[in-house]
Amino acid sequence: MVDLDTIRAIDFHTHAEEPCGCHADDGYDALQAAMARHFRASWAHPPTIPETAAHYREQKIAAVIFPVDAERETGYRRYANEEVAEAAAGHADILIPFASIDPARGVAGAREARRLMREFGIRGFKFHPTMQGFFPNDRMAYPLYEAIAAEGGIALFHTGQTGVGSGMRGGNGMRLKYSNPMHLDDVAVDFPDMKIVLAHPSFPWQEEALAVARHKPNVWIDLSGWLPRYFPQILVHYANTLLKDRVLFGSDWPMIAPERWLDEFAQLPIRDDVRPRILKDNAARLLGLVQETASAKETA
């Protein structure tokens, strides 16, 4: 129900943080507060889904929105995917719901994924290897990937180091090794028809991410979690050229407001013909809001 003619961009990476942080005893508020300091966010407590929708509607930006199921590894209580889908359905003009399932849920998780896509209109799934404590190419996750691929869903993976756990004692117990994008190369080989998104500039593995995306035509990159002033030159170069049809705008809301990201992105030396692809056109094609063009297939 998103009207592409009325929006200026599609943010491919936003978080449904509320009511994730409503449990005083599970430590999630402390993580959120630490990330807010890291990103210099302006809020005291994460916004609700209706508040997020209102902000994005005012900015004329559509948003992919999701929770993160990391309860097994972190103890942060799970936010029901059905709640995200139902809340987003009330703002279908601006919000596009994704879900999150811990791959350790195995066949039960795969069954949930199928139901969410068939009955709740879920378009894709967010994986956070650092928070969920797994390597993306662990065969444990394959039943879930099989379900996503069979239903035509999108798999979005956190990669590299961003603000989650940064500056906290022991990194809040989160291990960066899980989020090396090279692990996704195996997934792209084993699931060649599943659309895979590598989220974030993948510091310190940026070249690995670019190599995987260039080599595997079912792999995309979103630019969330970093302000554009910090983008490495090689990422900007590939976004401008070889990967211009598979790079996506993402903010990492609520840590980075989309308008703040867009203001900085406007200062980058992005070609005039590439800028609208990154900001809206590529995401619209990936999400099936428009048909993939022959030129996009040729450059992939």
Side-chain angles (χ1 to χ4, degrees):
M1 293 181 64
V2 173
D3 185 348
L4 294 176
D5 293 331
T6 64
I7 59 169
R8 59 183 176 129
I10 298 174
D11 186 338
F12 214 86
H13 200 112
T14 74
H15 288 262
E17 300 291 5
E18 183 68 39
C20 293
C22 66
H23 305 290
D25 64 335
D26 70 2
Y28 195 72
D29 273 342
L31 174 68
Q32 290 295 302
M35 284 198 290
R37 290 192 297 271
H38 175 87
F39 285 105
R40 299 180 183 177
S42 60
W43 44 264
H45 192 74
T48 64
I49 289 177
E51 288 170 341
T52 295
H55 185 89
Y56 274 78
R57 192 175 291 111
E58 180 181 356
Q59 292 294 325
K60 293 182 169 56
I61 300 172
V64 169
I65 190 165
F66 45 73
V68 177
D69 175 11
E71 185 174 42
R72 171 187 58 85
E73 183 72 8
T74 66
Y76 303 147
R77 299 184 205 184
R78 193 182 195 222
Y79 186 169
N81 289 305
E82 293 85 353
E83 291 185 45
V84 176
E86 290 168 354
H91 304 278
D93 61 312
I94 214 75
L95 298 182
I96 301 161
F98 276 32
S100 183
I101 297 173
D102 186 339
R105 296 182 185 274
V107 174
R111 186 165 56 246
E112 179 184 353
R114 292 188 187 93
R115 180 174 56 81
L116 289 168
M117 287 185 279
R118 294 173 182 176
E119 299 179 14
F120 287 86
I122 291 295
R123 309 293 291 274
F125 293 81
K126 166 62 184 278
F127 296 93
H128 201 308
T130 294
M131 288 187 72
Q132 292 171 321
F134 81 106
F135 289 106
N137 57 356
D138 189 327
R139 295 282 172 157
M140 165 194 72
Y142 277 34
L144 182 51
Y145 300 159
E146 288 167 0
I148 295 170
E151 297 293 328
I154 300 166
L156 185 152
F157 291 84
H158 171 101
T159 66
Q161 179 256 316
T162 61
V164 63
S166 291
M168 301 182 75
R169 182 172 178 270
N172 202 39
M174 297 176 185
R175 303 176 192 274
L176 300 179
K177 66 181 180 180
Y178 293 121
S179 291
N180 185 329
M182 190 54 69
H183 302 310
L184 273 304
D185 187 62
D186 288 336
V187 180
V189 170
D190 295 334
F191 297 91
D193 298 317
M194 182 172 71
K195 298 170 183 176
I196 297 169
V197 179
L198 309 181
H200 316 309
S202 302
F203 177 80
W205 303 291
Q206 186 61 76
E207 293 189 10
E208 283 92 331
L210 294 170
V212 173
R214 178 57 182 162
H215 196 254
K216 304 298 189 297
N218 57 322
V219 175
W220 305 55
I221 291 175
D222 88 32
L223 300 174
S224 66
W226 289 55
L227 288 170
R229 74 179 83 164
Y230 297 114
F231 289 177
Q233 184 176 358
I234 191 171
L235 175 59
V236 175
H237 175 68
Y238 270 71
N240 248 337
T241 55
L242 296 173
L243 293 176
K244 63 181 182 293
D245 289 310
R246 282 186 283 126
V247 172
L248 309 160
F249 157 48
S251 67
D252 218 359
W253 166 273
M255 297 304 164
I256 298 176
E259 62 271 25
R260 181 185 179 196
W261 191 100
L262 290 171
D263 285 347
E264 290 207 5
F265 186 70
Q267 306 305 312
L268 291 185
I270 302 296
R271 289 164 32 193
D272 289 344
D273 65 308
V274 173
R275 194 174 296 274
R277 301 185 194 205
I278 294 174
L279 294 182
K280 181 169 70 171
D281 298 346
N282 292 343
R285 196 174 76 254
L286 177 57
L287 290 163
L289 303 178
V290 295
Q291 293 299 312
E292 185 169 15
T293 63
S295 61
K297 291 179 181 179
E298 289 171 3
T299 57

